[in-house]
Amino acid sequence: MPELPEVEVVRRGLDVHARGRTIKDVTVFDERVVVGAPQRWREAIVGCRITTVARRGKFLWLGMGEQAAVIHLGMSGQVLVGTPRRPPRHCRVRLAMSDGGVLDYVDQRMFGRLSVSPYEATLDGKPGGVGELEARVPHLVAHIGRDYLDPHLARQEWKRALAASRRPIKAVLLDQHLASGLGNIYADETLFFARVHPLTLARELSTRTLNRILACARDVMSSALAAGGTSFDSLYVDVDGHPGYFQRSLACYGREGEPCVRCASPIRRIVIQGRSTHLCARCQRRPR
């Protein structure tokens, strides 16, 4: 599933290719990806000018006046830019733009969703997300916490929430309500570099360790963003159809049995709450 770096790569591409354009027409090839009545969704956005392309966590939105077209890529969603031609395989929705280009929403596994949402004011009075200049956020995204690359993330509140949690730190990092953007890949990478075992209860971590986790999360995702994201297969590409290359730099995720880059001990894979988790048992000591 695309995580924060992959979604931010897509957002930046859309900011170049879509912002300032007007949606001239919409073709829905598969109604299952559209939330609500497809015809009403179509009528809501045709003729609208895209003024902002923003993101919070794994959610994208195209700002259009007092409403936003919200995009969640799910497990395999892609937004591709191009010129009118035969839609690519698994294309579910096509937006025809005023400049003659198109935006194709492609989704092989059909877990992504497209919707339209009104805005609501942010509780902290700060811009709603990366790329959003106003203190507002689409209603459908308001329950999602600010992400680790958002300069307005309330770090002290994040640390207080973790210090009170009885859950394992891996589970807390995956909770998109506290802070968003981290999924299975980057949570494992973050804890590896922070030298924290994923089963450690969040409440047992010191303030110093929480600061280290926060710093590592930002560093890992910044590095992944610089590499264009992580592409294990063709399901994630940027808006021009190019894959990311961060999978070449992964330190622990997906490396079961391979030597740790720090100590050469074999990387282990365990399951936490149904999610595969990769770690170095030597560098990330399990709590008593």
Side-chain angles (χ1 to χ4, degrees), residues 9-253:
V9 168
V10 173
R11 187 201 71 80
R12 292 182 180 184
L14 290 177
D15 193 57
V16 172
H17 292 284
R19 183 162 59 89
R21 276 72 167 180
T22 297
I23 298 175
K24 184 178 179 180
D25 195 13
V26 174
T27 303
V28 178
F29 299 110
D30 196 318
E31 298 182 354
R32 291 175 293 176
V33 300
V34 177
V35 177
Q39 183 59 28
R40 292 183 62 184
W41 179 82
R42 180 183 181 279
E43 292 172 354
I45 65 174
V46 169
C48 291
R49 181 173 179 268
I50 300 172
T51 56
T52 56
V53 182
R55 177 191 58 76
R56 178 181 284 201
K58 304 175 188 179
F59 282 83
L60 284 167
W61 65 88
L62 308 178
M64 307 172 184
E66 298 303 312
Q67 65 178 9
V70 179
I71 305 170
H72 192 277
L73 299 177
M75 295 184 67
S76 60
Q78 303 171 355
V79 183
L80 304 177
V81 301
T83 55
R85 60 188 185 280
R86 183 177 180 179
R89 187 181 183 189
H90 305 301
C91 182
R92 311 301 179 182
V93 174
R94 165 166 283 188
L95 307 184
M97 311 302 288
S98 57
D99 62 352
V102 299
L103 297 182
D104 287 328
Y105 178 74
V106 178
D107 195 344
Q108 178 177 332
R109 297 184 179 176
M110 297 286 290
F111 287 101
R113 291 293 180 267
L114 308 178
S115 55
V116 173
S117 174
Y119 284 103
E120 63 179 68
T122 56
L123 295 178
D124 57 10
K126 298 175 181 177
V130 177
E132 178 62 68
L133 300 179
E134 299 188 38
R136 62 182 189 175
V137 63
H139 174 74
L140 293 175
V141 187
H143 67 291
I144 299 297
R146 292 187 178 276
D147 62 59
Y148 292 91
L149 295 183
D150 189 328
H152 303 298
L153 174 67
R155 301 180 184 182
Q156 295 303 319
E157 292 182 14
W158 177 85
K159 286 185 284 188
R160 282 195 293 269
L162 266 66
S165 176
R166 297 176 179 269
R167 293 183 292 167
I169 183 61
K170 170 73 181 282
V172 177
L173 291 181
L174 294 178
D175 186 341
Q176 303 298 297
H177 296 87
L178 296 178
S180 59
L182 277 181
N184 217 32
I185 297 174
Y186 299 119
D188 283 1
E189 293 291 299
T190 294
L191 294 175
F192 173 81
F193 286 109
R195 294 177 178 263
V196 175
H197 195 286
L199 284 174
T200 306
L201 298 185
R203 63 183 297 184
E204 296 177 353
L205 297 171
S206 66
T207 299
R208 181 178 180 181
T209 301
L210 292 176
N211 285 332
R212 188 166 68 247
I213 291 173
L214 187 58
C216 287
R218 292 176 59 86
D219 289 345
V220 164
M221 288 191 288
S222 294
S223 297
L225 180 57
T230 299
S231 296
F232 285 113
D233 49 37
S234 61
L235 295 184
Y236 162 69
V237 292
D238 65 15
V239 298
D240 295 308
H242 301 140
Y245 295 97
F246 191 66
Q247 66 276 8
R248 300 175 180 177
S249 303
L250 292 172
C252 69
Y253 185 85

